[in-house]
Amino acid sequence: MSLTTITLDPPIECRRTPPLVLVVAGSDNSGGAGIEADLKTLTAHSVYGLTCIGAITAQNTQKVDGFDATSDALVQKIFDLNFDDFGTSVKVVKTGMLTGATVRALHQFLPKYPDTKLLVDPVMIATTGGKLFDDESMQLAVDSVMKQAYLITPNFPEAEALAKLTGVSYDKVDSQEKFVELAQKLRQRLGCQNLFLKGGHIPWGDRLTDVLVTANNDVVVYESGYIDTKDTHGTGCTLASAIAANLAKDVELKQAIANAIGYVHQAMVSGTKLGKGNGPLYHYIKPPVVKLVAPVKPLSLKQSAYDYFKAQAGDLWIQYTQHPFLKLLATNQLPDHQFVYYLTQDYFYLINYGQVHGLAAARAPNEDQVFAQGTILNNIGEEMKRHKHKMKTTYGIDYANNTIPKGKACREYCDYLLYVGDNFDFASIKIAVAPCLHGYYEAGQYASSLVVPDLKPVYKDWIGDYTSDWYGEAHQQGQQVLQDIAKSIDSEAKLAELVEMFNRVTQLEINFWSECLEIEK
């Protein structure tokens, strides 16, 4: 007998907090739709899924043979326990098959969590043709839950059923214009913020048209090629969960839907046939990031790339670099507890900021940029030291013993930067971190112009950090990086993507300071 000892290396610790999505739906024992498809999709997107199974179905790829609903009492317990444990960390609630019990629970719990987005996928008919709802429960959903929805995602047959249920009159849908008109009327009648009408059941020739109608009644049309296959079991559940996953990562709605469509389409053509009927998707792919092409003003290499991106941000840039937070600070009107909250949140953010610069180093196009990231990381470390010094010497607070949690604005900002760092190239990452570097330089200049004679030393030191020669040099170096990136942009689509990122991060910076001013003592 021989004895072999295998010594395993310790794991490399790299902790991240995944976004949370609660799925309220039915269970599909065949694994292709319902809760099972939802969890596979969320896992593929690195999102943590909580569940409330509203019904157990008996089905396969050929038919639905029945279902039993979960009792009101058990649904209530599930909601109680999920929200008691995770609470405001649940960023999105996604629903599929609804029952009276789950509708009543949603109606009770959602008002308590106004920052949690509700995505309703009004599952009525399975791909195999089986009915998955009763009229009473759907009417209850229309009268209560759907009015609270951030997004509703019906396919065409579901839209027709909802129109009939709510008394929406519409012309025969025989053109894209009529399709858009139905979506607009339905959103208005249901009272939801946004409605996404899927056109997979009525392709126009070899093209598919999906329509998003937003809260402002703006219309976004998504066009794609028609995939000729019967293996579509769970496509609706998968699409809605992919949208929910993207929203949980703070991806903007139009982009979230585009990414989700790309994921479903790729999943439809990535696996082999399973089952004898309408087979399921292959959920185990890496979710794509679909590039949206939006018209933007051309970027001339003769102009400053920094000035170009600021101009594209427009009023957002002014709102950020001349934020009321800065005036209050420079004139001694900012309460100490709000500045302490800011320093704490910014310390959390700088940790994330450093991580993203590390990801940039891994994607750097040349050795100079790799080592330049090292210099930037050292500067971030210096900025964190200055924050710690202010907290310790002025307020007697040690970051190691900090009790202030990471706020919503900071979480959303950090999540978005990590999303960019994980999914995009070097140029995109550098554009995403640019508003922080350059905006703080301009913010420092703005605040210094407003300083009162008796300004608190800690506020004076903070302004001094961002008007210092040290920070000014970082600002100049960053502008050169932007200029180099401008030379590498090879398409209008790439430029549009970078502009959208710059503007998105500028808004996140505004939210960051705005939240500090909302903190009560």
Side-chain angles (χ1 to χ4, degrees):
M1 182 186 81
S2 64
L3 174 64
T4 302
T5 299
I6 299 175
T7 302
L8 304 179
D9 292 333
I12 299 173
E13 190 168 320
C14 181
R15 297 185 182 275
R16 290 188 181 179
T17 302
L20 269 61
V21 170
L22 168 61
V23 180
V24 182
S27 173
D28 171 12
N29 56 280
S30 71
I35 288 281
E36 287 75 11
D38 295 325
L39 291 179
K40 290 172 186 174
T41 302
L42 294 176
T43 300
H45 286 79
S46 301
V47 172
Y48 187 88
L50 307 169
T51 66
C52 175
I53 299 176
I56 304 292
T57 70
Q59 63 176 295
N60 58 22
T61 62
Q62 301 175 82
K63 65 179 180 179
V64 176
D65 202 29
F67 65 86
D68 283 337
T70 309
S71 69
D72 276 78
L74 186 53
V75 167
Q76 185 71 34
K77 285 184 179 179
I78 292 170
F79 269 75
D80 282 336
L81 291 169
N82 272 334
F83 280 100
D84 178 65
D85 203 8
F86 299 99
T88 55
S89 296
V90 179
K91 301 189 75 171
V92 180
V93 174
K94 180 266 176 186
T95 73
M97 177 184 178
L98 289 172
T99 63
T102 52
V103 171
R104 285 185 284 273
L106 285 163
H107 185 56
Q108 175 186 342
F109 275 86
L110 288 172
K112 301 176 184 177
Y113 299 92
D115 291 330
T116 299
K117 290 183 171 70
L118 172 64
L119 190 161
V120 176
D121 182 27
V123 175
M124 297 181 178
I125 307 295
T127 302
T128 55
K131 185 176 178 180
L132 294 173
F133 76 104
D134 62 83
D135 293 338
E136 183 180 350
S137 296
M138 191 51 62
Q139 185 66 59
L140 183 61
V142 168
D143 293 340
S144 58
V145 171
M146 290 192 185
K147 288 180 170 58
Q148 303 175 61
Y150 175 74
L151 178 68
I152 300 178
T153 62
N155 58 31
F156 183 61
E158 290 162 351
E160 289 187 305
L162 287 170
K164 182 179 180 180
L165 198 63
T166 57
V168 172
S169 61
Y170 61 96
D171 296 331
K172 180 182 178 181
V173 179
D174 54 9
S175 67
Q176 181 173 299
E177 290 74 21
K178 298 289 180 61
F179 192 62
V180 170
E181 183 180 328
L182 172 59
Q184 291 174 314
K185 287 184 175 181
L186 202 55
R187 188 202 70 81
Q188 186 174 22
R189 181 61 60 87
L190 293 174
C192 57
Q193 290 187 52
N194 307 281
L195 186 136
F196 179 59
L197 180 53
K198 301 173 288 188
H201 291 79
I202 51 169
W204 315 109
D206 62 348
R207 304 295 293 172
L208 283 183
T209 297
D210 302 311
V211 172
L212 169 67
V213 181
T214 71
N216 298 324
N217 211 36
D218 294 332
V219 175
V220 181
V221 175
Y222 298 83
E223 287 190 350
S224 56
Y226 181 73
I227 300 174
D228 188 11
T229 178
K230 292 182 179 180
D231 295 329
T232 56
H233 185 54
T235 47
C237 303
T238 300
L239 178 66
S241 286
I243 296 172
N246 277 275
L247 292 176
K249 293 180 171 183
D250 298 309
V251 178
E252 188 268 334
L253 180 59
K254 287 187 291 186
Q255 182 70 58
I257 291 174
N259 290 350
I261 293 172
Y263 174 75
V264 170
H265 286 180
Q266 189 60 50
M268 290 173 70
V269 299
S270 295
T272 55
K273 172 87 174 171
L274 293 177
K276 299 176 181 178
N278 302 108
L281 310 186
Y282 187 83
H283 292 89
Y284 317 105
I285 59 172
K286 180 180 178 181
V289 176
V290 177
K291 294 182 179 180
L292 300 183
V293 178
V296 294
K297 181 180 178 182
L299 168 60
S300 169
L301 294 181
K302 295 180 180 179
Q303 70 183 121
S304 160
Y306 171 51
D307 289 339
Y308 170 83
F309 283 104
K310 286 199 304 177
Q312 296 304 299
D315 289 342
L316 280 179
W317 191 254
I318 302 301
Q319 292 173 39
Y320 165 35
T321 57
Q322 297 182 21
H323 195 281
F325 176 93
L326 299 166
K327 183 175 182 179
L328 292 172
L329 183 145
T331 57
N332 260 345
Q333 298 178 72
L334 184 69
D336 283 328
H337 72 275
Q338 292 181 349
F339 188 61
V340 168
Y341 182 82
Y342 160 76
L343 287 176
T344 305
Q345 299 304 304
D346 204 45
Y347 193 82
F348 289 140
Y349 166 78
L350 287 171
I351 295 172
N352 171 269
Y353 190 59
Q355 291 172 330
V356 174
H357 276 287
L359 293 172
R363 290 171 171 75
N366 55 58
E367 60 188 39
D368 289 340
Q369 293 289 7
V370 171
F371 294 115
Q373 291 303 122
T375 301
I376 293 170
L377 287 169
N378 287 333
N379 288 339
I380 295 170
E382 175 61 28
E383 193 173 354
M384 292 174 73
K385 287 179 183 177
R386 296 182 183 208
H387 278 21
K388 291 172 73 173
H389 177 75
K390 292 180 183 68
M391 287 284 277
K392 186 71 172 179
T393 59
T394 305
Y395 302 108
I397 299 174
D398 191 330
Y399 273 102
N401 301 318
N402 168 58
T403 58
I404 300 175
K406 184 183 286 188
K408 179 175 180 287
C410 184
R411 287 198 311 272
E412 290 180 350
Y413 197 169
C414 292
D415 288 348
Y416 181 69
L417 286 186
L418 283 175
Y419 164 75
V420 173
D422 285 339
N423 293 283
F424 291 86
D425 59 9
F426 177 80
S428 299
I429 297 173
K430 295 301 288 185
I431 290 295
V433 297
C436 176
L437 169 63
H438 302 294
Y440 265 63
Y441 175 81
E442 291 198 15
Q445 300 298 317
Y446 173 71
S448 67
S449 70
L450 303 173
V451 167
V452 296
D454 59 343
L455 186 62
K456 294 177 183 178
V458 67
Y459 292 174
K460 187 175 182 180
D461 287 348
W462 184 87
I463 294 172
D465 286 344
Y466 300 108
T467 55
S468 65
D469 292 341
W470 158 74
Y471 201 83
E473 183 178 348
H475 170 63
Q476 292 298 324
Q477 291 171 348
Q479 289 187 68
Q480 184 56 53
V481 171
L482 291 181
Q483 208 64 36
D484 292 340
I485 288 173
K487 297 175 185 177
S488 71
I489 299 172
D490 57 3
S491 69
E492 182 182 343
K494 182 62 177 179
L495 179 60
E497 174 188 286
L498 297 181
V499 167
E500 191 278 331
M501 283 182 177
F502 190 92
N503 293 351
R504 176 74 181 275
V505 174
T506 300
Q507 182 63 63
L508 290 169
E509 286 283 3
I510 294 169
N511 297 347
F512 197 92
W513 273 333
S514 294
E515 184 179 78
C516 296
L517 298 184
E518 295 169 0
I519 299 300
E520 297 181 357
K521 192 171 184 178

